Amino acid sequence: MAIRAKLPLSLITASCLAVLLLLLQPCTAARPIHDTGTIDGSRSRHLPLRGSRLRGPESVAFDGADDGPYSGVSDGRVLKWNEHARRWSTYAYGPGYSAKACTASRTRPAEVTESMCGRPLGLRFHYESGNLYIADAYKGLMRVGPGGGEATVLATMVDGVPLRFTNGVDVDQVTGEVYFTDSSTKYPRSQHERVTQTGDSTGRLMRYDPKTDHVTVLQSGITYPNGVAISADRTHLVVALTGPCKLLRYWINGPKAGTSEILADLPGYPDNVRPDGRGGFWVALHREKMELPLGPDSHLLAVRVGADGKMLQAMTGPKSVRPTEVMERKGGKLYLGSVELPYVAVVSA
């Protein structure tokens, strides 16, 4: 019989933390942040959702008239914020939506209902037409016309392969073409942890042409593509790679069209990426690479990255906030979405 030596509790705890870090750190080291002033994300006001079990305003969008924000939530709807009334109202929903069937309860959480009711993730308006494009994790790429209502499903399958985890979306405001991601062809959103844990590299970057109603796969075999944003000069796309903690640049115009390269290594796990209005991008970080459960209650919420991939600015805040998107608006207001919180946060830069 083997004899077990009793180890000190402190040593056991330290060993467990070390193992946990090894399991959760597939990312490489990031370049330093060239700080132009850290933003305190804890100093924010909230746009609260109504409903005790309503959660997860993941993405934040504004329409061509600068109204909003709009955001998709855990029961499958897209909501619109009315600043004067200080409340959200239903703007859009997918086919088959039912308020009775899609409202979560103690015995029927949103994780159960979302496969039927849908889960809107990325949102983006085409300003000229007024159409809102929705990347729904379960229903695929959808579109709803001006005024909202029931959305039309545009694509559930591309090249014979189902859209299993539709995630990010952006629109070329000049051509009207829509770019979107499918994070995995193996795992749905309900198993998103498996995408990172297994190193799944079946993700795809795609383009939808509203003139032809055709979807083209631009690049496949990508490791956890999440948010996507078109550059200010419309020459390339920037795609957040969650598992690898990187930004991918995919060229859509110019001599490099059809090729891709790594733009930046990030200090955390990115979700959505949105333009900062200065040629760069805001990247929401769900978690830092070296984040420990103990210690100060503060971590990186987001970083601002320049067109060259250099990190220019950081936003910090409490560990209870796990942002999925940062959208910068006029006057320096930053709107933060999250899949876990019952509100959209507004931070002044």
Side-chain angles (χ1 to χ4, degrees), residues 162-323:
L163 297 174
R164 197 170 297 279
F165 190 172
T166 322
N167 204 330
V169 67
D170 202 1
V171 178
D172 186 325
Q173 298 297 337
V174 176
T175 66
E177 292 174 316
V178 181
Y179 297 93
F180 66 105
T181 61
D182 183 18
S183 294
S184 172
T185 62
K186 289 184 178 180
Y187 302 105
R189 179 185 178 273
S190 59
Q191 296 178 291
H192 63 89
E193 296 95 344
R194 296 287 294 158
V195 183
T196 299
Q197 291 168 358
T198 64
D200 177 70
S201 297
T202 63
R204 296 178 289 176
L205 172 64
M206 290 159 287
R207 177 179 60 216
Y208 169 75
D209 187 342
K211 298 183 179 69
T212 62
D213 202 36
H214 180 70
V215 179
T216 303
V217 176
L218 301 178
Q219 185 168 329
S220 58
I222 309 175
T223 304
Y224 209 153
N226 199 323
V228 58
I230 190 169
S231 64
D233 61 6
R234 300 175 49 250
T235 61
H236 62 274
L237 306 172
V238 173
V239 183
L241 307 182
T242 299
C245 300
K246 298 178 186 293
L247 293 180
L248 177 76
R249 173 159 53 193
Y250 180 91
W251 295 93
I252 54 176
N253 289 305
K256 292 185 178 181
T259 66
S260 64
E261 65 209 21
I262 296 301
L263 176 64
D265 291 310
L266 299 169
Y269 296 82
D271 201 300
N272 284 323
V273 52
R274 287 295 181 222
D276 66 356
R278 287 158 280 183
F281 305 89
W282 275 106
V283 185
L285 301 177
H286 191 70
R287 182 169 55 82
E288 283 188 77
K289 290 179 185 177
M290 300 300 293
E291 186 171 310
L292 294 174
L294 306 176
D297 184 27
S298 180
H299 71 152
L300 277 175
L301 301 180
V303 291
R304 186 166 67 85
V305 178
D308 58 359
K310 291 182 180 178
M311 280 165 277
L312 305 174
Q313 198 168 19
M315 181 192 298
T316 60
K319 293 179 180 178
S320 60
V321 178
R322 304 286 176 175

Side-chain angles (χ1 to χ4, degrees), residues 112-163:
V112 174
T113 63
E114 66 178 19
S115 61
M116 175 189 67
C117 302
R119 184 59 171 96
L121 297 179
L123 304 177
R124 197 67 163 172
F125 277 93
H126 178 229
Y127 300 139
E128 183 178 353
S129 65
N131 291 328
L132 173 63
Y133 287 90
I134 306 166
D136 188 287
Y138 296 91
K139 295 183 180 292
L141 181 66
M142 304 196 301
R143 178 177 63 205
V144 63
E150 182 174 315
T152 299
V153 177
L154 302 173
T156 60
M157 182 178 295
V158 182
D159 292 347
V161 181
L163 297 174

Side-chain angles (χ1 to χ4, degrees), residues 39-48 86 301 315-318 320-321 333-337 341 343-349:
I39 297 171
D40 184 0
S42 65
R43 304 180 64 178
S44 63
R45 69 183 182 97
H46 298 165
L47 312 182
R86 297 288 303 166
L301 301 180
M315 181 192 298
T316 60
S320 60
V321 178
K333 287 185 178 180
L334 300 168
Y335 290 77
L336 276 65
L341 297 176
Y343 58 80
V344 168
V346 187
V347 178
S348 295

